Amino acid sequence: MSTQVESVQKESLGNVLDSSRVIGTERYSSAMAYRNHNVVGRLAQKCGMSLIEAEQCFEDTKQFLYLCDVLPGSYCPTKTIDEGWHAFILFTKDYALFCQNYLGRFIHHIPTTSVSEVDTGRPARTLKAAVLLFGIENLSPNWIFQSENGSEHVLMPQMVLGDDWDEVLDMIGPCGDSCGCNASCRGD
């Protein structure tokens, strides 16, 4: 199964990007300034992350949610960012308030229900959108999609700068798990 987010914004990708990157905008800055020590603590405890890694994971999770809100399309998180999203969702009131106050709408976590719904192009679209929106220099290693066994970087931000996507997309297959963030995901 694959996790997906359907963005329902009416604004076109071109219109969003013509305003140059969002890094300096008040809306983005406010969302990124949001802190939640409970989510960070849960990531550290349940996922075996250091506090620094958990903080970075939460920062990347907020970036991903912001991307899903402002860009039309369907996106998926990497395994690490999906762990951050799952941890955030468990604090339902905090997550709902974050969505309402910083994004203006609730971002649903929608796992697909069958392999036929898997869109293997979604990881590439997600990274391309992230690079265009935030700039490659503002993406941490948590934005790297890994191979099925996790040993190699199948899709990373630097790869979206080139045009050779076919080989990369062939390497990313359906996840087949409930979490479904990408081919490396085999458990929650």
Side-chain angles (χ1 to χ4, degrees), residues 120 124 154-156 159 164-173:
T120 59
V154 174
L155 189 59
M156 51 205 282
M159 296 173 105
D164 189 20
W165 289 95
D166 292 337
E167 183 178 327
V168 172
L169 294 177
D170 287 342
M171 296 171 73
I172 300 173

Side-chain angles (χ1 to χ4, degrees), residues 4 9-10 18 43 50-52 65-66 72 81-82 112 124 140-141 148 163 168 188:
Q4 67 178 352
Q9 291 291 111
K10 302 291 185 221
D18 285 345
L43 282 168
S50 70
L51 284 177
I52 292 171
L65 293 169
Y66 186 87
I81 293 173
D82 199 45
T112 57
S140 82
E148 191 169 324
D163 293 328
V168 172
D188 232 355

Side-chain angles (χ1 to χ4, degrees), residues 7-146:
S7 181
V8 294
Q9 291 291 111
K10 302 291 185 221
E11 204 167 5
S12 75
L13 181 61
N15 289 343
V16 172
L17 298 177
D18 285 345
S19 64
S20 83
R21 295 194 178 122
V22 298
I23 299 298
T25 66
E26 184 178 332
R27 184 170 174 233
Y28 175 79
S29 297
S30 294
M32 295 308 293
Y34 174 82
R35 299 287 176 254
N36 190 311
H37 299 293
N38 291 325
V39 173
V40 171
R42 181 165 183 88
L43 282 168
Q45 179 186 28
K46 297 291 185 179
C47 298
M49 297 179 183
S50 70
L51 284 177
I52 292 171
E53 291 168 330
E55 283 280 355
Q56 184 61 57
C57 179
F58 189 53
E59 292 300 300
D60 295 330
T61 301
K62 292 183 296 181
Q63 261 188 325
F64 175 76
L65 293 169
Y66 186 87
L67 178 152
C68 293
D69 182 50
V70 301
L71 295 181
S74 182
Y75 303 100
C76 66
T78 64
K79 182 178 186 339
T80 303
I81 293 173
D82 199 45
E83 288 172 352
W85 196 4
H86 285 207
F88 198 5
I89 288 172
L90 289 175
F91 296 93
T92 56
K93 288 181 182 178
D94 294 342
Y95 180 73
L97 285 171
F98 173 84
C99 288
Q100 178 184 343
N101 294 337
Y102 298 99
L103 305 177
R105 68 184 179 100
F106 192 85
I107 304 292
H108 292 275
H109 189 288
I110 308 167
T112 57
T113 56
S114 70
V115 175
S116 65
E117 295 179 34
V118 172
D119 175 0
T120 59
R122 194 173 293 131
R125 259 195 325 278
T126 300
L127 274 185
K128 189 169 257 186
V131 168
L132 291 171
L133 191 62
F134 306 121
I136 197 166
E137 67 279 5
N138 295 305
L139 300 180
S140 82
N142 291 334
W143 284 89
I144 296 172
F145 287 87
Q146 295 185 331

